[in-house]
Each structure stands twice: as C-alpha cells, then as structure tokens.
Amino acid sequence: MKYTKHVLLLLLIIIPFLSRADEGMWLPQLLGKLNEPRMKSLGMKIRAEDIYSINRGSLKDAVVSFGGFCTGEIISSKGLLLTNHHCGFDAVQNHSSLENNYIRDGFWAKDYASELINKGLFVTFIVRIDDVSKAALNGVSAQMPEADRQRLIDQNMNEIKKNAKKESAQDAFVRGFFEGNQYYLFITETFRDVRLVGAPPAAIGNFGKDTDNWVWPRHTGDFSMFRIYASKDNKPAEYAADNVPYTPKKSLSVSLDGVAENDFTMVFGFPGKTTEYLYSAAVEQIRTINDPAKIAIRDKALNVIDHYMRKDETIKIQYAAKYASIENAYKKWQGEVLGLTRTDGVAKKKLYEAEFQKRVLANAAWKEKYGNLVNDLDAAYTAISLYALARDYYTEITAKIELNTIAMQLNALTTAFEKNGEKGFNERLKISQPAISSLLEEFSPAVDKSVFEVMAEMYVKDQQKEYVSPVLLQWLDASDDSYSSLAGKLYSQSGLFTKASLDEIFSKPPAEAVVSINAFDALKVFRDMQSTYQKSVQVSLNKLQDSINKLQRTYMQAQMEVMKDKKFYPDANGTLRVTFGKVQGYTARDAVKYEYFTDMEGLMEKYKPGDYEFDVPEKLRTLYKNKDYGRYGKNGVMPVCFIATNHTTGGNSGSPVLDGYGNLIGLNFDRVWEGTMSDINYDASICRNIMVDIRYVLFIVDKFAGATRLVEEMKIVYPKQSKIKK
Ligand code: ARG
Ligand code: GLU
C-alpha cells in the first residue's frame, strides 16, 4: 500500500512534464513567458511574438470570435473567413428555401455581388489584452460577503472600461480569470457586415450527422465560408450596399503539405467553458450523480422526439436542430463519465490534493491561511450535492418541455403588468411575442405533450417530495395518477399553441390580456413548479454556491502559491486562447487503437445511398472513382480528417489549426468521445481534438464546387516541400 502510494506520488510529479504536457488553454499574450520553449521543443518554428503582438500584425489578428459562439479565421487579403459548417448553419438555413435548398445542395457565391447578407451576424477581433487585476480588485478584502465583493468588482470593471485607451470604433470588456483571482481587459473590434460566401451540401458539411458526432474515425467536411465587409475606410460598419471587402491586418497562409504523426499543431480560438480546477468531490458528483441524471432525462426526451421524427417528415424538419442540440450534450456527457472513470480522474485529483495538503501543512504561513481549505471544500460539496441534483433535474426537465417555455414568456407578461402596468406589459410584449412566435414555428403540440408525460413522471418519481410542485401533484391526483391524462388536461387548451390565438390575446388591452393569460391551466402548474423550485432549492443552493465560489477561488489562489512546479492556465471563459500539441492517434479501449487520419476511402466505406446521415453526393463519388484530387491528394489518397492532442472545447469550433510555421493546416470541429472529460480533467492518453484537413476543404471548394476564385484569393504555401527542394 505504502509502496504504491509512493510510486503514484512519484508519477504525479513526473507526469506533468511528460504525458500531460499538452494540456492547457493558454493566454496568447503570455506564451512568450510561459510556453515558448515547450512549443519549440514540440516543433514550433515561429516565435511567441509572431502569435501575439500589439506592435505589429501577428497571427491573433487573423482569428475572430464568430458570432460569439464559434471561432473563425481570415484566409485572404480580401477578408475571406473560414469557420465550421455547423457554425454557419443558421445563415445557410436562413437563406434556404424549397427552390434554393442551400442546406441540401450547398451554396457558392459566384462573385462579390452574390455573397449573402446575414442580419445579426458579427465577428470580433481582439486588438489587445491587458492585465488589470490590480485595478479590478481594488478595495476588495478577503472577508467581504460575495455579493458586496461582486458589486465592488463590477464598479471597478466599469471604471476600467471607461478609462481604457481605444479608438472610437473599438469596444472594451473586462473578464475574470482563475476563479476571480485575476482580471484582463480586452480591446476588441466588431464587424457587423459578414456575408455568406460558400457552404458545401449538408451531406458533406454534416456527413455522418448524429451517429458520427463526437466520434472518431470521422469523415465530415465541417466548413463554410464568409466574408467580412467594412466601410470604405476599412473600419467596422453596419451593413451597407457600398461596404467593401475588409482588408485585414493579417491573413493566414494555407499549407498543402499535410500532416504526419507527431507533427506540432496549435489551435487558436475562443473556447467557451471548462472547469479544470474543481475539487475532487465535485468531479465525483458530476461523474456519479449529475451527468447520469442529465443523461437519463435526455435519453427519455430524445426517445420521444425520435419516435415522432421517424414517422412524420414535417416533424423531422421541425425538430432536427433541436434534436441535434439535445443529443450533442447528451452524447458528450456519456463520453465524459466514461473518460473520467477510465482514466481514474477522481483518484488523480485526490492524489494531487494530498500533495497540496502535505505542502500546506509543512509551511506555517500556508497552514494558517489554507490549512482548512480541503476540509471546507469537502463539507461544502457534501452540503450542496442534493441541491445541485435538484437544480439539474429542474433545469433539464423544464427546458425539454416547450409548453413551459411558452408559459415562462406569458408569465413574464403578467409579472410586468403587475409591476409596471400597461407600460410594463407593452415593453415586455416586444420580447415575449417574437420569442413565442419563433418557438411555435418549430413546434408540435403532440410531440411536446408526449415529452411532458415522460418528463413529469421523472420529475415526480425521481425526486424528494419537497422539491415537487404541490399543484402538479393535485392535478396528477385528479387525473387518477395517470401522466397521460394529466398531459391531456394541460394540453387541451389549444389557444396556447397557435400564433393567431395568442396574437389575438396580445392585441387586447393589457388588463384583459392578463385575464385571458391567467385562464390557462398549464400556466398555474408551471408557475407552481417554478416557485416550488425557488423556495425549496434555489434559496439554499445560491447560498451554498456563494460559499463554494469563495472556497474554489481561495483554492485556486492557494494552488498557484503552493504548487509552484505546476504551470497554471485559466479555465476557458470565452476568451482568446492558444492550445498546442501534436498529431497523434490513441488507444480508445482494450485492443482498440485509432490511427491519426482518415481519407476518402473510409468516407466511401460509410456511404449508404439515400441515407439521411451517410449519403454521398454524386459528384464527390465521381471524383473519388477517378481519384481526381488535383494537388490536394497525395499518391491517390485524399485525406479528410485528423486528430491531435490539442486541448479544446465548445467554442473552439471553427478554430484554425496551425503548423509549426503558423500556416493553416486544418479546421477544428469536434473532440473524440472517449476524451470529452477534458473539460474537467484533461488526459493526454485519450483526449483528442478532431479537425478537417485543409486539403479536403480546398478540394471540396475547388474540385467539387468549382469555386476556384476563392482558392485563388488564398496564399498557398508548401513549407516542407520547398525545404526539401533547397
Ligand atoms: N460535437 C460538435 C460540437 O460540440 C459538433 C456539433 C454539431 N454537429 C452535430 N451533429 N450535432 O459542437
Ligand atoms: N463542436 C464543438 C463546438 O461547436 C467543438 C467540439 C468541442 O466541444 O471540443 O465548439
């Protein structure tokens, strides 16, 4: 026992320098200080200066936040932008109709004039990042109650933003890092005229759909192209007919050299959210309690929706995007549980915590400050466990029932009327009316009623009595404990489901409209579910969460002070980061080892004629048959996707994948299922990001779509081959 403990501790000390070396989502402005030697040892040929510089054009000037939910990159001097198909999908969908079915057939603008306008779509460049921790934390003390602390920091952040040095067309925001121990100011530039240039057919851009989602080996050409337009003086501007293609500070060169195993790769983008510094008890709760509960809820909901989608073509179209989004996290959480279990994530955290505690106790000053931290964290997570589960139950279940979403919007109207009378009602109507009508466009009462039935049963049967709405229980009782007759009653008032009948209510004088709204029975039930949750869960949960936030913040600070031999990177928070690693296959499970790349051969093996997920367009089949790959294939092989050890997460979709020279070699779009726990505990043995090879992207643009004008805009390089020639 003692022996194994020592061996494990030894491993713990060595591991950070070996296999875990690729972990991390690093701040680009700190690469020079923290990561450059390691990046060079992995094969990087450029300097940290070339990645982030405020004095001259650097790679960061070619990377944008795409609409706030994905990443994109500039690939020509004319503002051409590359991102994922699933990131640009909304735009493609909005321009699609039965006559111009761009989702099915793809879209390629033949010239600038045919590039399509997208209202509301924007891209944001990062101009500069400054450390403002001192100013943001000015006046903050350790004893402050959380709410007071936050109020003060908010004030400080506003001051910082107000005084930030920037041009008039630029914006500023401040964000907290390391659980609120550090703060950075971001100066940004946002362009709001972003036009759709091209997208492949869904059979390429979303090849394999849900079956292949999160799965390796993958054969998806998950890309689309846009163009940034600017005012005549090249500044950010709202859409205008005479806007011109934006001339960027920097655009990425595209390398057609391709990748080999162990090649250096770097992903530059906007990862959304990770929680890498959670205390072990929290991770154990996610693994054994919260993820399984959320998975079980989604499993039931997906089953119901799938049943309807299979038998009704209209429902299939209405629910496709919703289904995909419920399924996306459902599948990810399953991989997360599997990965945490298989790599013993919790045991590893415990070992790390034991080492932390040992060091703390060995130092008088640390012992004084941090001696109780681990015990306090244990106690706090034990205390929050039940409430956190109740929170997940409530949010997961109520979010699946769309009638509840309608009820929430109507409720907001009646509340606004109670508070601010007619004026309040009319103000709120501007939000609620369009929200409800857009929901109803993709809604089937029959599907939702069935979803409600199974959700309500879980809500009642799987929870402690005190978390369950008494009003719902009365209704259930009056329905002889039958969930289907309960659903029958709540869904019988069809006025809730048609735009016309709701609009008629909205057109009445507010006082009358409120009476009509309050007459809906469903509203009474959902209101009580909400207030039951607020009373029995939320009040305690918020208090406990406040204390956990404070403990995790102190724990973060303590780790950075005590575990000096470890390099810390901040959790993802939607800000610009660099992650690096190498191209590499992985062993998924006993005896199952995956190669690092896929090709057209494998794509064609998946081909199922006419299938919803695995059909292949005829043109692509012909190109394959003739091995007509142009300069994009190599020795009769057309590469499609590859994987590497880069540490990525949601939001990194569309991120550029760069080689050691900073050239574009791929486009990030997913992770492998077995490694999705990298959001909580990255493990280089099975965590891989999935990228589409840039050669496949260009092959599709050029040979498949014939959009050669776009390839001609790009700067194409062959760094390795030119090296050999020399
Ligand atoms: N799993 C990827 C991500 O998290 C892709 C999701 C879109 N594709 C899909 N088939 N649902 O966003
Ligand atoms: N598909 C994800 C996205 O939309 C990226 C995959 C991941 O979570 O790593 O950002």
Side-chain angles (χ1 to χ4, degrees):
M1 180 64 211
K2 222 171 172 179
Y3 170 76
T4 31
K5 216 170 168 183
H6 276 118
V7 171
L8 284 173
L9 274 179
L10 192 71
L11 277 178
L12 183 80
I13 296 162
I14 300 170
I15 282 169
F17 301 103
L18 301 173
S19 54
R20 285 165 63 96
D22 302 330
E23 173 175 353
M25 300 172 172
W26 304 94
L27 286 162
Q29 76 276 23
L30 299 181
L31 291 174
K33 213 165 99 189
L34 293 177
N35 314 96
E36 197 171 28
R38 172 69 190 159
M39 293 172 89
K40 289 202 158 151
S41 80
L42 283 171
M44 186 173 78
K45 308 287 184 216
I46 54 175
R47 296 167 309 161
E49 264 289 292
D50 303 318
I51 300 172
Y52 177 94
S53 167
I54 50 167
N55 303 316
R56 56 192 185 85
S58 55
L59 290 174
K60 77 133 171 59
D61 298 315
V63 184
V64 293
S65 163
F66 183 83
F69 53 87
C70 276
T71 302
E73 53 275 2
I74 313 300
I75 53 170
S76 91
S77 58
K78 308 251 179 346
L80 188 62
L81 180 148
L82 180 65
T83 189
N84 286 152
H85 185 266
H86 76 265
C87 299
F89 188 73
D90 244 10
V92 179
Q93 186 170 36
N94 289 340
H95 291 294
S96 287
S97 60
L98 282 179
E99 308 81 67
N100 294 312
N101 193 339
Y102 299 146
I103 298 177
R104 188 191 60 203
D105 305 331
F107 166 78
W108 301 96
K110 61 180 191 313
D111 49 26
Y112 289 138
S114 335
E115 296 176 353
L116 301 172
I117 304 153
N118 303 292
K119 237 181 116 197
L121 184 60
F122 62 88
V123 298
T124 301
F125 289 87
I126 304 299
V127 178
R128 194 177 85 232
I129 309 172
D130 294 338
D131 187 346
V132 292
S133 305
K134 239 181 149 165
L137 293 167
N138 189 22
V140 168
S141 74
Q143 297 75 30
M144 270 183 163
E146 281 302 286
D148 295 352
R149 178 194 154 95
Q150 201 48 58
R151 213 168 301 124
L152 183 56
I153 291 177
D154 287 345
Q155 270 172 29
N156 290 344
M157 294 202 296
N158 274 333
E159 265 322 283
I160 296 167
K161 274 195 306 199
K162 229 172 51 203
N163 300 328
K165 251 184 42 204
K166 61 176 182 65
E167 291 172 19
S168 64
Q170 298 175 336
D171 302 301
F173 69 87
V174 179
R175 197 152 298 168
F177 290 74
F178 292 115
E179 328 261 349
N181 282 294
Q182 294 179 14
Y183 287 82
Y184 285 94
L185 166 71
F186 293 79
I187 304 296
T188 63
E189 219 160 52
T190 295
F191 289 78
R192 297 179 189 280
D193 186 353
V194 181
R195 303 186 196 170
L196 177 63
V197 172
I204 291 173
N206 193 11
F207 180 74
K209 301 233 166 54
D210 292 327
T211 299
D212 265 11
N213 190 23
W214 298 113
V215 168
W216 184 254
R218 189 68 153 275
H219 301 85
T220 311
D222 196 345
F223 78 94
S224 59
M225 287 182 180
F226 289 78
R227 191 185 305 281
I228 304 173
Y229 280 76
S231 64
K232 286 217 179 73
D233 52 355
N234 207 37
K235 290 272 181 278
E238 295 290 332
Y239 166 79
D242 60 351
N243 279 352
V244 294
Y246 172 59
T247 306
K249 265 191 258 172
K250 175 94 189 167
S251 70
L252 300 176
S253 302
V254 177
S255 165
L256 295 186
D257 265 344
V259 293
E261 189 140 36
N262 293 319
D263 274 0
F264 172 82
T265 58
M266 163 166 100
V267 174
F268 213 164
F270 292 83
K273 183 171 189 253
T274 59
T275 50
E276 310 283 350
Y277 301 100
L278 280 180
Y279 183 65
S280 58
V283 177
E284 185 62 353
Q285 282 172 14
I286 292 173
R287 187 182 76 91
T288 58
I289 301 173
N290 301 72
D291 273 359
K294 294 191 289 184
I295 292 165
I297 292 167
R298 290 197 177 204
D299 189 55
K300 290 239 162 102
L302 287 168
N303 257 327
V304 172
I305 301 171
D306 180 62
H307 167 79
Y308 281 94
M309 281 171 75
R310 277 178 196 277
K311 59 176 202 188
D312 186 323
E313 198 58 32
T314 314
I315 290 177
K316 186 163 150 184
I317 295 167
Q318 279 179 330
Y319 280 75
K322 250 180 277 188
Y323 186 92
S325 120
I326 300 173
E327 194 267 358
N328 196 37
Y330 164 77
K331 201 163 176 183
K332 191 197 104 156
W333 291 326
Q334 292 177 54
E336 190 166 272
V337 171
L338 182 82
L340 284 172
T341 308
R342 197 170 280 155
T343 59
D344 242 339
V346 174
K348 273 197 248 153
K349 288 233 167 210
K350 283 196 169 144
L351 224 47
Y352 172 81
E353 286 155 8
E355 174 65 18
F356 166 82
Q357 185 67 353
K358 199 178 98 195
R359 293 187 195 183
V360 165
L361 296 181
N363 171 311
W366 287 345
K367 191 175 166 187
E368 165 89 28
K369 272 195 293 185
Y370 306 133
N372 291 328
L373 204 47
V374 168
N375 286 337
D376 290 350
L377 279 160
D378 254 325
Y381 278 110
T382 306
I384 205 170
S385 174
L386 269 183
Y387 295 108
L389 177 62
R391 172 202 60 207
D392 286 353
Y393 249 83
Y394 178 78
T395 35
E396 274 295 316
I397 283 176
T398 51
K400 301 297 159 295
I401 304 167
E402 291 186 274
L403 178 51
N404 180 58
T405 312
I406 299 174
M408 290 293 125
Q409 291 294 348
L410 295 175
N411 217 7
L413 281 169
T414 55
T415 310
F417 183 74
E418 278 159 31
K419 269 200 193 137
N420 296 315
E422 293 207 354
K423 193 164 157 272
F425 184 95
N426 289 329
E427 269 306 302
R428 178 66 212 188
L429 197 59
K430 288 184 203 152
I431 301 170
S432 289
Q433 193 168 16
I436 294 176
S437 82
S438 95
L439 185 153
L440 290 177
E441 274 168 28
E442 291 176 348
F443 178 81
S444 148
V447 177
D448 203 53
K449 177 166 166 270
S450 298
V451 171
F452 173 84
E453 267 180 59
V454 295
M455 293 292 104
E457 186 164 355
M458 293 188 101
Y459 172 81
V460 171
K461 288 190 176 160
D462 299 353
Q463 294 205 92
Q464 297 190 180
K465 219 16 176 242
E466 65 260 41
Y467 300 155
V468 178
S469 148
V471 172
L472 185 128
L473 287 178
Q474 281 162 21
W475 277 74
L476 182 63
D477 196 41
S479 313
D480 297 327
D481 279 338
S482 153
Y483 291 91
S484 116
S485 47
L486 168 67
K489 284 181 189 160
L490 292 186
Y491 284 75
S492 65
Q493 288 170 302
S494 61
L496 272 168
F497 311 123
T498 62
K499 186 172 151 43
S501 59
L502 287 171
D503 283 349
E504 196 192 311
I505 294 177
F506 297 151
S507 67
K508 293 182 190 173
E512 283 173 43
V514 165
V515 173
S516 306
I517 290 171
N518 284 335
F520 287 120
D521 290 331
L523 229 68
K524 295 174 193 147
V525 173
F526 289 122
R527 271 180 190 155
D528 194 59
M529 284 171 76
Q530 188 185 29
S531 69
T532 305
Y533 173 73
Q534 279 163 349
K535 275 186 294 212
S536 65
V537 180
Q538 214 169 25
V539 175
S540 311
L541 181 77
N542 288 352
K543 239 191 253 148
L544 291 164
Q545 192 61 53
D546 269 0
S547 80
I548 283 182
N549 291 350
K550 187 168 178 171
L551 285 168
Q552 283 280 166
R553 187 170 64 240
T554 312
Y555 180 44
M556 189 74 245
Q557 178 192 330
Q559 289 177 68
M560 294 172 90
E561 210 174 316
V562 172
M563 308 301 271
K564 275 268 185 288
D565 39 352
K566 186 174 151 85
K567 271 187 205 158
F568 291 91
Y569 60 92
D571 268 320
N573 61 358
T575 59
L576 185 62
R577 303 296 176 87
V578 171
T579 162
F580 55 89
K582 49 189 173 184
V583 175
Q584 212 167 54
Y586 70 109
T587 301
R589 54 184 184 277
D590 190 26
V592 178
K593 207 170 147 37
Y594 285 121
E595 295 285 341
Y596 70 92
F597 82 101
T598 60
D599 61 30
M600 280 271 313
E601 191 86 35
L603 189 151
M604 289 305 296
E605 275 170 16
K606 287 180 178 172
Y607 169 46
K608 276 191 223 154
D611 185 67
Y612 166 67
E613 299 187 298
F614 292 101
D615 202 3
V616 175
E618 192 191 337
K619 176 94 183 274
L620 190 58
R621 281 183 273 132
T622 308
L623 289 165
Y624 168 74
K625 206 171 77 204
N626 300 332
K627 301 263 174 292
D628 186 3
Y629 304 144
R631 58 178 164 164
Y632 309 110
K634 211 166 164 178
N635 309 326
V637 175
M638 185 63 238
V640 179
C641 292
F642 65 102
I643 51 174
T645 60
N646 303 299
H647 188 181
T648 54
T649 190
N652 270 127
S653 273
S655 292
V657 185
L658 307 169
D659 67 5
Y661 302 90
N663 296 320
L664 187 68
I665 52 172
L667 180 63
N668 188 73
F669 71 97
D670 211 0
R671 273 175 292 164
V672 305
W673 189 60
E674 299 88 347
T676 52
M677 86 301 188
S678 63
D679 289 348
I680 299 172
N681 194 5
Y682 178 91
D683 189 308
S685 69
I686 52 170
C687 292
R688 298 289 179 274
N689 63 316
I690 306 180
M691 301 148 278
V692 49
D693 194 306
I694 203 68
R695 292 170 296 176
Y696 186 64
V697 172
L698 264 54
F699 162 71
I700 295 295
V701 173
D702 195 354
K703 304 288 292 184
F704 174 83
T708 309
R709 76 164 182 121
L710 299 174
V711 178
E712 281 163 0
E713 273 183 48
M714 301 173 201
K715 187 173 165 221
I716 299 205
V717 295
Y718 297 84
K720 277 186 229 153
Q721 292 184 18
S722 58
K723 268 229 150 108
I724 295 164
K725 265 183 240 147
K726 257 187 235 162

